[in-house]
Amino acid sequence: MTRRGLVVAVVAAVVIAGAFAVGGGWLAGPSPTVPLLEITSDPFRVRVTAGGNLSAVTSTPLTAPMKPQMPFTLSWLVEEGTVVAEGEVVARFDASQLEKDREDGLSDQRISDHRIGSAETNRKVNEGKLERDADVAESELDVAQEFQSSDHELYSKIEIIESQIDTELARTRSEHARESRSIQADLSQAEIDLLAIERRKADIKVEQAAEGLAALEVRAPHGGIVMLERDWRGNPVRVGDTVWPGRPLARIPDLAEMQAEVYVLEADAGDLEAGLPATVWLEAHPGEPHPAAIDKVDPMAGRRNRRVPVQYFRTVLALEETDTEVMKPGARVRAEITIADLDEAITVPRQAVCAVDGASVVYRWTRRGFVPVEVELGPAALGRVVIASGLEAGDRIALRDPTASDADDGGDRGSTGPAIPGGRS
């Protein structure tokens, strides 16, 4: 080969190699307009941490008495963490008001009994008087009828008329006496019935006071450790507080089965679901991990402190085993929840996934340019998301939407760059 032929061959080889390097093949295509990422399959693990406390799965509540319907003043309460036996007194309430109510009821009973006795006596006296009046009226009627002047030959017309008037008057007096006796009997009975109602009200007052006095002591239904209930501020009920019927005072947990109640930041709780594995450490024993799993997650986030606008999802972790020697209700714990633990997974930056007509799409680079590929998303971590299907290792994708305008992407639409090796962010 001549020297000139050799030079031509070298130049041709350089041109072909350059075309292959730029275009990705023998037939050079368009150049990428956005940075590319070369897909690799790497381990992917996502874990979130949370803090909280231990609590019993089941516990027996202790509440203020339901009867009578009145506020109570707490006069004595056991200290939190006290071990009590079945039937032991846990709380006592002030009895002064109920004792006063009982004395008032007893006084009302005595007054009612006196009034009923007086009413019975007055009824008997009035009935006797009306009975005598009725007898006199009956006697006068009999005399008037017996000696009525009705003979026209012996008596004048005026005497006959007067005799008739006297007879009619005696009859009217007799009927009035009988009616008065019946009416007075009804009135006396009605008065006695009203007084009996007052007596029953006094009886009810005494019964309620006695029932309330008997309920002023709250006793433990079974043995265990007393845990005081707290209000929305986190304060337990204290001696001297006024409580209403049915208010929770304390609880006696079943220490045989414990659970962890932890609080996960709202930003980390997107993929939480029941069944995910977790590990719990007690702050008092940080070197002993305890396997657990998510039992339930609250449907809505809330604040742990009303003054701090950070929201959490309360998550209950079921422990595989309960170590009663070290696990106590209220103990502080730290938990690590495993959202994803994959030995091989394809992950891409979040900004590489675009929403097109409701579907998740990434743009794969080919010799013909960018081609939209619908993908199925898996677990996500801060800045990255797993592609469950739609991509394979070795694919090259756009790190952002290549169809976006310069105004949308910050004006670097025309920039090009080499493929960036895959990795976690």
Side-chain angles (χ1 to χ4, degrees):
M1 180 182 296
T2 64
R3 181 181 181 87
R4 181 178 179 180
L6 181 60
V7 171
V8 172
V10 171
V11 171
V14 171
V15 172
I16 293 172
F20 182 83
V22 174
W26 292 103
L27 297 176
S31 300
T33 57
V34 296
L36 300 179
L37 169 71
E38 184 177 345
I39 299 299
T40 61
S41 181
D42 301 301
F44 181 79
R45 293 176 175 84
V46 180
R47 296 181 177 90
V48 297
T49 59
N53 303 84
L54 288 180
S55 65
V57 175
T58 59
S59 60
T60 303
L62 304 176
T63 62
M66 292 297 297
K67 293 183 180 180
Q69 291 295 316
M70 58 175 287
F72 298 92
T73 301
L74 190 64
S75 61
W76 180 82
L77 181 67
V78 297
E79 295 183 359
E80 188 168 28
T82 302
V83 179
V84 296
E86 181 179 354
E88 189 172 343
V89 177
V90 176
R92 291 192 183 94
F93 295 93
D94 181 43
S96 57
Q97 182 61 45
L98 289 175
E99 289 175 348
K100 180 180 181 300
D101 291 344
R102 182 180 61 182
E103 292 301 321
D104 291 344
L106 293 174
S107 177
D108 292 344
Q109 284 180 336
R110 291 190 292 268
I111 293 174
S112 297
D113 290 340
H114 176 72
R115 289 178 176 175
I116 290 174
S118 298
E120 290 282 359
T121 301
N122 291 336
R123 181 176 67 175
K124 291 179 181 179
V125 171
N126 292 331
E127 285 181 353
K129 180 180 177 181
L130 292 174
E131 186 69 26
R132 289 191 298 272
D133 292 344
D135 292 342
V136 171
E138 290 286 345
S139 298
E140 291 178 350
L141 177 62
D142 293 340
V143 172
Q145 289 177 341
E146 182 177 356
F147 297 101
Q148 183 178 4
S149 301
S150 58
D151 192 344
H152 293 279
E153 295 180 354
L154 297 177
Y155 302 100
S156 65
K157 186 175 182 180
I158 294 177
E159 291 176 333
I160 292 174
I161 293 173
E162 288 178 348
S163 178
Q164 291 175 347
I165 292 174
D166 291 340
T167 302
E168 187 63 27
L169 179 60
R171 181 179 292 108
T172 302
R173 287 177 177 174
S174 176
E175 293 175 352
H176 180 266
R178 288 194 299 270
E179 291 177 357
S180 297
R181 182 176 58 185
S182 176
I183 292 173
Q184 187 61 42
D186 292 340
L187 290 175
S188 298
Q189 186 60 46
E191 182 182 4
I192 292 173
D193 291 341
L194 289 175
L195 292 174
I197 292 175
E198 295 295 326
R199 178 62 161 80
R200 180 54 186 159
K201 289 171 63 178
D203 293 342
I204 293 174
K205 192 173 185 178
V206 172
E207 291 172 1
Q208 288 180 342
E211 185 180 3
L213 288 170
L216 288 182
E217 291 186 343
V218 179
R219 298 179 178 271
H222 58 79
I225 297 177
V226 177
M227 304 296 297
L228 300 182
E229 293 288 354
R230 284 167 166 73
D231 59 16
W232 62 273
R233 293 188 182 94
N235 300 323
V237 65
R238 297 183 178 90
V239 173
D241 287 353
T242 299
V243 299
W244 289 92
R247 174 181 172 177
L249 303 174
R251 52 192 169 86
I252 301 179
D254 182 4
L255 303 182
E257 187 177 3
M258 305 293 291
Q259 63 187 9
E261 294 184 7
V262 298
Y263 295 85
V264 181
L265 281 169
E266 185 178 16
D268 297 333
D271 294 315
L272 289 182
E273 60 181 16
L276 289 178
T279 304
V280 175
W281 291 269
L282 277 68
E283 288 193 356
H285 303 273
E288 301 178 13
H290 301 277
I294 293 181
D295 181 46
K296 60 182 178 180
V297 181
D298 281 359
M300 297 184 63
R303 298 183 182 182
R304 297 187 66 181
N305 188 326
R306 65 188 184 93
R307 296 184 178 88
V308 180
V310 180
Q311 297 207 124
Y312 301 82
F313 277 91
R314 188 181 75 96
T315 305
V316 178
L317 304 179
L319 299 169
E320 289 187 2
E321 295 183 1
T322 297
D323 187 350
T324 56
E325 295 296 328
V326 298
M327 294 183 178
K328 305 298 180 185
R332 289 285 303 172
V333 298
R334 177 177 60 87
E336 185 180 82
I337 302 171
T338 301
I339 303 296
D341 190 359
L342 305 174
D343 293 332
E344 296 289 337
I346 292 176
T347 63
V348 299
R350 288 179 180 267
Q351 68 269 19
V353 181
C354 307
V356 178
D357 296 332
S360 297
V361 171
V362 298
Y363 288 90
R364 184 167 54 195
W365 176 251
T366 67
R367 286 180 295 179
R368 297 186 303 275
F370 287 108
V371 177
V373 178
E374 184 174 348
V375 294
E376 180 183 353
L377 303 182
L382 184 62
R384 298 190 71 83
V385 61
V386 172
I387 303 299
S389 64
L391 293 178
E392 296 180 356
D395 289 343
R396 294 191 298 172
I397 64 170
L399 282 175
R400 58 180 175 81
D401 187 356
T403 65
S405 64
D406 291 343
D408 295 335
D409 58 27
D412 60 348
R413 177 177 171 82
S415 63
T416 61
I420 301 173
R424 295 180 58 196
S425 62

